[in-house]
Amino acid sequence: MFDGKAAIVTGAGRGIGRAIAMALAARAARVMVNDIEEAAVERVVAEIRDLGGAAVGMVADVTREEEVDKLVSACVSKFDTVDILVNNAGIVQTGPLTSITAADWDRVMAVNLKGVFLCCRAVFPIMMQKGGGKIVNVASVAGKRGGGFWETPAMPPPKGVIAFTKSAAREGAPYGINVNAVAPALTDTDMTAGMDANQRDAILGMVPLGRAGRPEDVAKAVCFLASSESDYLTGEIMDVDGGLMMD
């Protein structure tokens, strides 16, 4: 499907990011695996190579401008270009509004929103010069719903990612750059493993398909948005939520 196109996947060391990296590689993309944990990066790169795929890895913090620039430069050095960027890196910090510190808030905003901005800004000139590219941001249905499933700090970054996706899509369109996002609901990953059982059951009770998402469900949607099959889509926010939103 991707015929050797070069892809960067942030936060690819586990969970949804790992599934996206594996899925892109399985479809013949050359993948730059990024995470902040070296062991996780090495593990995913090895998994891809063991399956016959092409991958390299790099540790980089997406909240740091200089590290993002090095990540993108490394991809260009290794694969000559950047065709696909998947902004998946994210963290969760939830709790009552009165219990969240300013430091907690700043960290969530930095990883989940600033990181998307920095990575997009770094690849845009490359994609503009080559006449196109695909960017897929990972948001959340919480950003559409205005919270409700999670408490206050988890909601603003997805909402911001959704707004940023649409703005970047308008700016990138004249250059053939498609910018879209996926918005998962409850997905079975390490990040959600510690969720309260009653809260989990309450969420799943609203999902028409009756189950939590799997990382592979999100990865399939990302692959579609990163492929030529989605060439006439930009600024789209694709729910991967088992029918939860239906908007």
Side-chain angles (χ1 to χ4, degrees), residues 5-246:
K5 289 186 179 296
I8 297 173
V9 183
T10 69
R14 57 176 51 80
I16 290 173
R18 172 190 170 277
I20 292 168
M22 298 289 291
L24 289 170
R27 292 161 174 79
R30 299 172 295 166
V31 182
M32 170 66 78
V33 176
N34 160 256
D35 204 276
I36 59 170
E37 296 182 14
E38 185 173 5
V41 169
E42 292 176 350
R43 183 171 59 250
V44 174
V45 169
E47 286 183 273
I48 291 172
R49 290 177 177 175
D50 287 346
L51 293 173
V56 295
M58 183 171 178
V59 174
D61 184 341
V62 297
T63 72
R64 298 182 179 276
E65 182 177 1
E66 65 278 10
E67 294 190 27
V68 169
D69 290 343
K70 288 179 181 178
L71 173 66
V72 173
S73 294
C75 185
V76 173
S77 178
K78 181 65 178 180
F79 298 139
D80 300 320
T81 189
V82 181
D83 299 294
I84 299 163
L85 167 66
V86 182
N87 285 307
N88 168 76
I91 59 174
V92 171
Q93 175 72 56
T94 62
L97 178 61
T98 53
S99 74
I100 299 299
T101 68
D104 293 333
W105 177 271
D106 288 346
R107 182 60 180 164
V108 171
M109 292 296 177
V111 176
N112 296 9
L113 189 52
K114 180 183 176 183
V116 173
F117 157 68
L118 289 176
C119 290
C120 286
R121 190 184 66 175
V123 304
F124 243 66
I126 298 167
M127 292 182 174
M128 290 168 66
Q129 184 175 17
K130 70 196 297 293
K134 296 294 182 80
I135 297 174
V136 184
N137 299 322
V138 179
S140 166
V141 295
K144 285 188 167 186
R145 198 173 188 271
F149 302 126
W150 300 272
E151 299 189 65
T152 302
M155 188 278 288
K159 191 75 171 180
V161 170
I162 288 170
F164 178 82
T165 296
K166 294 179 179 182
S167 177
R170 291 186 184 279
E171 187 167 342
Y175 304 97
I177 304 171
N178 300 70
V179 188
N180 295 291
V182 292
L186 177 61
T187 305
D188 283 332
T189 65
D190 291 345
M191 192 177 288
T192 60
M195 178 179 287
D196 177 80
N198 291 331
Q199 184 183 29
R200 178 184 174 87
D201 290 344
I203 295 171
L204 292 180
M206 295 184 282
V207 177
L209 291 183
R211 67 167 176 85
R214 305 182 184 102
E216 292 75 18
D217 296 321
V218 183
K220 290 173 185 177
V222 170
C223 285
F224 167 70
L225 292 174
S227 77
S228 61
E229 299 296 318
S230 67
D231 281 352
Y232 199 56
L233 292 179
T234 198
E236 177 66 23
I237 313 301
M238 180 181 289
D239 300 335
V240 188
D241 63 356
L244 179 63
M245 294 297 293
M246 292 195 183

